[in-house]
Amino acid sequence: MSDIRFWKPARQLFRHDEPLMNEELRDFYVCREDSPVNELVNLLEMDNDNDPAQYLVAGHRGGGKTTELRRLEQKCAQDFTVVWVDTDTALDRFNIGHAEVAVLIGMQVVQRLADAGWKLPKKLEKELLESLKKITYQDKVTGGGELQLPKLFQDLGMLLKVGFGRETTRTLEVKPVLGEIINKVNEIIAAAQKDTKKNLLVIVDGLDRKEYSIALEMFSSSLLTDLKCHIVYVIPIALRYSPSFKNPMESFTKCLDLSNIAVFKCDEMARPTTNPDRVGRHILKEVVQKRLAKLGNAYANLLEPEAMDLLCEKSGGVMRELVRLVRTACEVGLNKQASKIDRPIAEEAVREEHRTYTIEDYHFPELEKVHKDGRLSSNEFDSPKHGRIVICNELLHYKLVLGYEGKHGRWFDVNPMLWGDLERWQQTNSQ
């Protein structure tokens, strides 16, 4: 069978824009040795309750961080009141700073405690209302009547979506107000933890998608470490390896990494090779096979071995890219009225996905160095769009370069999807 009825169920299993949750997390998850979850669980258990810790988790966009942190949420649910903060849906992607993030966390903490059945004392509620009003209604009317938290949170949520930069007036000094809000939230956290006998754990997702300059400014603010509860922040991969972030990173307890799954091996000097990493590819194949298993025997051999290996290789070990490639291959299979995904269909899927990458001329010399040495450089470029930039920061952000962890240490390589582009550039420049 090669019609829509055959391909639709397979295609729907490979949704690259959604992390694994609930039943899918149980049924589709494949264990990763490099996952920071077990270490985080142990660290949180050992942390002093009176000295809350703030952790960072770094990795490429689409590398599986959200899925791993959902596992952390599950593992900590019994011992902690876990607050999940999704900055991607609650805040404007292009107009965001530490102020919006800090206020959002405070708001989500109060709402989660209420959902868990803890009643906010009237005195603390009134004090929090007065603090939040200074940001939310400083140049507007409140709508009359006695203001309640649900209405204020609704209005504040709308304000956060736009960003404080467009709404707050020049007459308001935001920093003291933010400090006041954080202090009130800390009082609420302390009261709730005392009453419920459970510590708070806040997981802040989505900040890894922010531009490097925005993220650097955001995580350099003390506001993100002023909340008195355990917090895990996801950060952009470019920030993790930026010399400019070395000092701000010391304000956090620890930074943990979620590396990509290696599809090629490195040598004893942590330099890239063209030798396939069979262990890594087996993990990626298991990711695909676990999903297809849900559809029964009719789909057990949907991907021929050569096609499977190619898609795993070209994903670069990035989970989202693997899922996207298989989804695209299903679409190609339908268009070609095929009954399975063979090597030519996989190659066409790779060509389709390759079109989504953009390589600038100034990228190629750095790509060549990374492909040879397995290391990042601090070489800079005057970008017409972004001013003076560190080229490798941009390569990491756009997944032109990917990071891996091996027995010889941390190493990097050019995204396998772009090896052909690099080879053509090298041939042209060697003439």
Side-chain angles (χ1 to χ4, degrees), residues 42-308:
N42 292 334
L43 288 170
L44 288 166
E45 190 172 332
M46 291 189 295
D47 283 331
N48 186 336
D49 295 344
N50 298 318
D51 187 20
Q54 291 88 27
Y55 294 101
L56 303 174
V57 174
H60 280 93
R61 289 174 297 129
K65 295 185 298 301
T66 300
T67 295
E68 293 298 326
L69 291 179
R70 284 296 182 186
R71 290 182 60 238
L72 177 68
E73 180 185 31
Q74 287 183 347
K75 286 178 175 288
C76 293
Q78 185 173 345
D79 299 323
F80 292 85
T81 300
V82 183
V83 183
W84 186 276
V85 180
D86 184 358
T87 62
D88 227 21
T89 57
L91 302 176
D92 182 87
R93 180 175 296 187
F94 303 103
N95 188 35
I96 179 178
H98 60 271
E100 288 87 351
V101 173
V103 171
L104 175 64
I105 293 172
M107 187 170 72
Q108 297 281 31
V109 164
V110 174
Q111 290 180 319
R112 175 68 181 89
L113 288 169
D115 292 341
W118 183 73
K119 186 160 180 63
L120 179 62
K122 286 293 184 184
K123 178 178 179 293
L124 294 179
E125 179 179 2
K126 181 179 178 181
E127 292 175 351
L128 180 64
L129 276 168
E130 292 301 318
S131 298
L132 291 174
K133 278 167 58 177
K134 295 177 183 179
I135 280 186
T136 314
Y137 301 118
Q138 85 284 353
D139 58 350
K140 299 189 181 88
V141 296
T142 63
E146 184 181 357
L147 186 63
Q148 300 290 328
L149 271 183
K151 174 64 167 63
L152 188 146
F153 280 169
Q154 180 182 359
D155 293 345
L156 181 55
M158 295 172 63
L159 179 58
L160 288 172
K161 271 285 190 182
V162 178
F164 293 150
R166 299 179 187 173
E167 288 287 328
T168 51
T169 63
R170 294 181 181 275
T171 60
L172 178 68
E173 181 59 38
V174 175
K175 189 172 182 179
V177 178
L178 290 173
E180 181 181 317
I181 291 171
I182 295 299
N183 288 337
K184 298 305 175 187
V185 172
N186 282 334
E187 290 181 30
I188 291 170
I189 290 171
Q193 292 184 153
K194 182 178 179 181
D195 291 346
T196 64
K197 310 300 182 186
K198 291 178 74 173
N199 288 329
L200 248 71
L201 168 62
V202 179
I203 300 174
V204 185
D205 193 26
L207 296 178
D208 57 322
R209 299 175 180 88
K210 309 311 171 191
E211 293 289 342
Y212 166 79
S213 57
I214 295 173
L216 178 60
E217 181 180 357
M218 185 186 310
F219 283 98
S220 297
S221 167
S222 64
L223 274 178
L224 297 191
T225 55
D226 282 347
L227 283 162
K228 302 303 181 184
C229 60
H230 299 304
I231 302 183
V232 178
Y233 292 102
V234 173
I235 65 170
I237 186 71
L239 195 65
R240 170 69 172 91
Y241 295 102
S242 170
S244 301
F245 190 56
K246 185 176 181 180
N247 288 335
M249 190 162 61
E250 292 178 356
S251 300
F252 296 87
T253 308
K254 190 172 184 178
C255 184
L256 298 97
D257 297 289
L258 180 65
S259 301
N260 300 306
I261 296 172
V263 292
F264 290 98
K265 295 180 179 180
C266 68
D267 64 17
E268 64 280 359
M269 300 296 290
R271 295 174 300 199
T273 74
T274 56
N275 300 322
D277 188 313
R278 299 300 178 191
V279 175
R281 295 191 188 202
H282 176 76
I283 293 173
L284 296 172
K285 290 173 185 177
E286 193 176 354
V287 169
V288 177
Q289 290 165 343
K290 273 202 169 188
R291 299 189 185 215
L292 292 177
K294 186 174 183 179
L295 300 178
N297 292 334
Y299 292 83
N301 299 308
L302 183 66
L303 282 86
E304 292 186 350
E306 284 191 0
M308 176 82 85

Side-chain angles (χ1 to χ4, degrees), residues 379-383 386-390:
N379 294 337
E380 297 181 333
F381 177 77
D382 285 316
S383 168
H386 308 294
R388 194 76 175 169
I389 63 166
V390 176

Side-chain angles (χ1 to χ4, degrees), residues 2 7 328-340 345:
S2 59
W7 287 104
T328 302
C330 289
E331 295 167 359
V332 175
L334 172 62
N335 292 337
K336 290 187 173 297
Q337 297 184 327
S339 59
K340 60 176 58 179
I345 288 176

Side-chain angles (χ1 to χ4, degrees), residues 423-431:
E423 289 173 4
R424 285 188 289 273
W425 179 82
Q426 289 172 326
Q427 290 171 2
T428 300
N429 284 267
S430 65
Q431 295 175 355

